[in-house]
Structure formats: C-alpha cells, structure tokens
C-alpha cells in the first residue's frame, strides 16, 4: 500500500452496508472504494431508496464513512438497533457483533458518567438485545463468543448481562418479551452501584480494610438508589440489583438472605457474576479459563449457588463451545 493509499485508508472507516436502513435519511456521507479511490455514493442527508439499497447490499459492497463521522454513525445504528437485530438478511453472527459493539459502547458511557440520558440509552439497547436473544436460537451463542475478558466495570456488566440472559432464557422458558427485557436490564445493570466505589478499592491488590470492604459491600444498595433516582426501577431490576451478592448458604450480602429467600433472577445473576469474576483478570489475581472456572465453582462454591441452575449454565457454555476453545 502506497503512502497516499494508507493515508486515504486511515481517513475512512469501513461499515457493513446492511446496517444502513433504506428509506431513512442518512446523516453522513457514504463512500464506496473503487480503483483505490473513495467516491461519495450517497451524500449526507440523502435518502437511499429500496432499489439503490438492494443493488449495493446484493453486491456485498464495502461501504465507508469518514472517520470524523464514526460517532454519528454509531448514534444512527443505535436508533435503528431493533430493525437491524431483526433483519434476517444480516447473518446472526454479524448482528451479534453489532449488538455487542453497541452494548459495550453504551455501557462505557453510562459507567463513565451515570446520568438519566445514558441509563435510558443503555436500557433501550439492552431491551433490543433481549428481544434478539429471545427471538433467535443462535443469538445467545454468538453473543457469548463476542465477550472479552478485561477488567473494567462496563465490560464486566456486559459479560454478566449476556451470560445471565442466556441462562434465564434456557432455565426460565420465558415467552413474555417484556418480562425478558426487564430481567435482562436487571442483569446488565446489576453492578451500577460500583460506579460510586473508588477504583483504588475495586482494584486493590491486597486485602481490603474494614472501611473499604464496607463501601464495596454497599454497592447493591447504592445501585438501587441510583436507579431509583433515575426512575427506571422495575420489580425485576430492583430484585436483581439488590440480591446479586446474596448466597444460598446465607453468607452473602447485604441482607444475608438464605436459600429460597433469594429470587431466581438473582440466583441466575450470581452464577454469571461469579463465573465472570473468575475468568477475568483483576489487578490482584490472574484469570482462569472457563473450564477451570466451572471446576472451581463446582469444587469450592457449590453451597453458594443453585445446583440446577449451575448445571444449566455449564450446558449453555458447552453449547457455545467456550469450554472447547479454552
Ligand atoms: Fe456486584
């Protein structure tokens, strides 16, 4: 690649053409590369009719946008997320990639700056993804394959959200879309209270002092308070946020609930949460493989979790071939 080509390439960003919705106004230029040149094929503000859309989509054209329009493009597909995730012409794996990118992006904004706008944006993204998981058999497995294990609260929230929604789908046999949206939202927001815990406590490489431990243990209550303030609490979200650290043996927190006093949604979330914590490195501990994590939970934590749910969780991961991959 010549210097000029490289410069050109760096100025543009490839997009998947089918994410553009026909008959909608496109708020950025769309360019097509031919003979190493980028040509504007649709100007910002134009509406792509169905015929033009079909021609380009059928050709599998690699469309590009200007790098400076990337945020506008992201907002555009965020607005169209339900349509994109329901589009049978886009292969499921591609839709899962898009869903994962939007979840990660909206979670990052929310955890950096928790406010009403970002929480509502995140909730509408999660709701669309919950429908995607509920409506299509393959979705959850493709989403699980997208997860990456990095120590960051936003990434942890997305990972736990995906694992727990998958487990809820196979163990609760839900057929009510709205219920699933609320339950999934609870999973994805379970740790929102941690944005009030200082990073020095979250990442402390040595044992926490009594006061630090007290602050950390308060994050379910803090999360509930934040979501109440934003006026987005439902019964499902409230239960999951408050109870995700309760344990079957009564040794959890903040209320030290025992056995069936813990709601099944929270039991689901706690398995996904513990698994994610083991498979993701922390500044104070190394990550272990999915296989090792399941083994550790079975060997050392069986009295903390619901055995039937744990069995189904293992099934979910075997099917996603995560255990094989690791
Ligand atoms: Fe937590």
């Amino acid at each position: 690649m010549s210097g000029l080509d490289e410069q050109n390439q760096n100025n543009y960003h490839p997009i998947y053409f089918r994410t553009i919705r026909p008959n909608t106004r496109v708020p950025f230029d769309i360019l097509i590369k031919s003979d190493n040149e980028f040509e504007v094929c649709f100007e910002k503000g134009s509406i792509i009719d169905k015929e033009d859309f079909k021609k380009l989509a059928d050709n599998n054209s690699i469309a590009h946008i200007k790098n400076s329009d990337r945020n506008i493009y992201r907002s555009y597909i965020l607005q169209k997320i339900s349509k994109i995730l329901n589009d049978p012409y886009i292969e499921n794996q591609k839709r899962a990639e898009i869903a994962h990118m939007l979840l990660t992006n909206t979670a990052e904004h929310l955890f950096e700056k928790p406010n009403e706008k970002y929480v509502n944006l995140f909730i509408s993204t999660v709701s669309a993804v919950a429908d995607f998981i509920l409506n299509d058999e393959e979705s959850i497995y493709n989403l699980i394959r997208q997860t990456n294990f990095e120590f960051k609260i936003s990434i942890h929230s997305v990972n736990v959200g995906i694992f727990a929604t998958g487990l809820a789908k196979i163990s609760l046999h839900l057929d009510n879309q709205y219920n699933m949206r609320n339950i999934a939202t609870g999973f994805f927001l379970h740790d929102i209270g941690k944005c009030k815990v200082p990073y020095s406590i979250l990442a402390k490489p040595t044992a926490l002092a009594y006061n630090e431990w007290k602050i950390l243990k308060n994050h379910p209550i803090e999360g509930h308070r934040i979501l109440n303030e934003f006026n987005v609490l439902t019964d499902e979200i409230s239960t999951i946020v408050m109870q995700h650290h309760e344990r079957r043996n009564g040794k959890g927190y903040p209320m030290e609930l025992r056995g069936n006093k813990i709601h099944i949604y929270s039991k689901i979330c706690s398995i996904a949460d513990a698994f994610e914590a083991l498979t993701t490195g922390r500044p104070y501990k190394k990550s272990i493989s999915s296989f090792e994590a399941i083994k550790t939970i079975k060997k050392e934590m069986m009295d903390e979790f619901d055995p039937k749910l744990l069995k189904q969780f293992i099934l979910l991961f075997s099917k996603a071939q995560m255990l094989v991959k690791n």
Side-chain angles (χ1 to χ4, degrees):
M1 192 186 282
S2 77
L4 191 63
D5 284 345
E6 214 170 302
Q7 202 182 353
N8 263 341
Q9 200 80 48
N10 291 339
N11 289 335
Y12 302 106
H13 177 72
I15 58 163
Y16 183 61
F17 188 74
R18 282 198 181 271
T19 53
I20 305 297
R21 307 319 294 169
N23 296 333
T24 60
R25 197 171 294 281
V26 182
F28 40 78
D29 289 340
I30 299 177
L31 305 96
I32 298 287
K33 193 178 174 188
S34 67
D35 297 332
N36 266 337
E37 290 283 326
F38 287 92
E39 264 175 54
V40 176
C41 68
F42 294 105
E43 269 179 16
K44 174 182 171 178
S46 54
I47 295 174
I48 306 176
D49 65 30
K50 277 203 165 148
E51 216 171 289
D52 281 342
F53 175 83
K54 199 174 169 326
K55 242 187 272 166
L56 283 161
D58 288 351
N59 278 343
N60 264 338
S61 301
I62 303 283
H64 287 73
I65 54 168
K66 290 178 192 145
N67 259 337
S68 52
D69 283 338
R70 284 173 76 165
N71 285 342
I72 301 174
Y73 169 70
R74 213 177 284 128
S75 306
Y76 172 85
I77 58 170
L78 199 53
Q79 279 170 24
K80 319 280 178 214
I81 183 170
S82 288
K83 285 217 159 71
I84 295 171
L85 297 186
N86 269 316
D87 186 342
Y89 289 101
I90 306 176
E91 60 181 89
N92 189 284
Q93 196 185 321
K94 191 81 202 168
R95 280 183 273 160
E97 268 172 44
I98 295 165
H100 190 262
M101 185 268 283
L102 293 176
L103 282 171
T104 309
N105 192 261
T106 46
E108 255 169 36
H109 280 106
L110 174 63
F111 280 86
E112 259 167 41
K113 201 175 172 188
N115 62 31
E116 224 167 315
K117 179 186 158 195
Y118 288 146
V119 86
N120 282 308
L121 215 54
F122 188 54
I123 290 175
S124 61
T125 309
V126 169
S127 298
V129 176
D131 292 352
F132 173 56
I133 292 173
L134 198 63
N135 297 339
D136 205 327
E137 201 54 44
E138 285 174 84
S139 306
I140 187 60
Y141 303 107
N142 282 328
L143 277 167
I144 289 175
R145 290 189 198 103
Q146 291 293 317
T147 52
N148 61 80
F149 298 99
E150 189 191 328
F151 176 57
K152 219 171 165 190
I153 299 301
S154 55
I155 292 183
H156 165 76
S157 302
V158 170
N159 288 346
V160 171
I162 291 172
F163 301 153
T165 307
L167 181 54
K169 189 192 173 185
I170 62 168
S171 55
L172 300 178
H173 309 292
L174 287 169
D175 51 9
N176 183 328
Q177 202 174 30
Y178 295 96
N179 234 357
M180 186 61 157
R181 285 182 188 173
N182 284 344
I183 297 167
T185 303
F187 295 148
F188 280 86
L189 284 171
H190 74 285
D191 254 354
I192 185 76
K194 277 203 182 149
C195 57
K196 297 285 175 195
V197 179
Y199 186 76
S200 57
I201 294 182
L202 291 176
K204 193 173 175 186
T206 51
L208 295 180
Y210 176 74
N211 266 351
E212 294 169 327
W213 182 228
K214 228 171 111 183
I215 294 172
L216 182 69
K217 274 172 82 172
N218 198 44
H219 79 269
I221 295 169
E222 190 57 33
H224 191 271
R225 188 194 64 74
I226 293 170
L227 297 174
N228 190 32
E229 204 177 288
F230 292 154
N231 220 7
V232 294
L233 276 181
T234 59
D235 286 348
E236 293 90 344
I237 299 173
S238 170
T239 303
I240 295 166
V241 171
M242 278 301 287
Q243 295 186 0
H244 73 275
H245 281 287
E246 300 294 348
R247 294 293 182 259
R248 193 161 72 105
N249 58 11
K251 291 185 178 167
Y253 63 86
M255 289 171 290
E256 298 178 7
L257 299 177
R258 193 177 266 279
N260 281 337
K261 292 269 182 248
I262 307 168
H263 197 283
I264 188 159
Y265 303 156
S266 315
K267 288 178 182 170
I268 289 173
C269 193
S270 66
I271 293 178
D273 191 18
F275 174 82
E276 208 277 346
L278 288 169
T279 48
T280 306
R282 295 280 192 273
Y284 49 86
K285 71 164 184 62
K286 274 198 172 142
S287 62
I288 56 175
S289 70
S290 326
F291 180 73
E292 287 295 328
I294 297 282
K295 246 172 60 182
T296 306
I297 293 174
K298 274 169 93 175
K299 208 171 136 199
E300 297 166 25
M301 303 156 110
M302 268 316 265
D303 57 339
E304 297 184 28
F305 304 109
D306 183 304
K308 271 192 198 152
L309 287 173
L310 189 57
K311 235 182 187 173
Q312 294 200 286
F313 190 69
I314 296 168
L315 205 74
L316 178 78
F317 265 79
S318 318
K319 235 179 145 179
Q321 288 185 317
M322 286 279 282
L323 295 174
V324 177
K325 212 171 83 183
N326 283 311

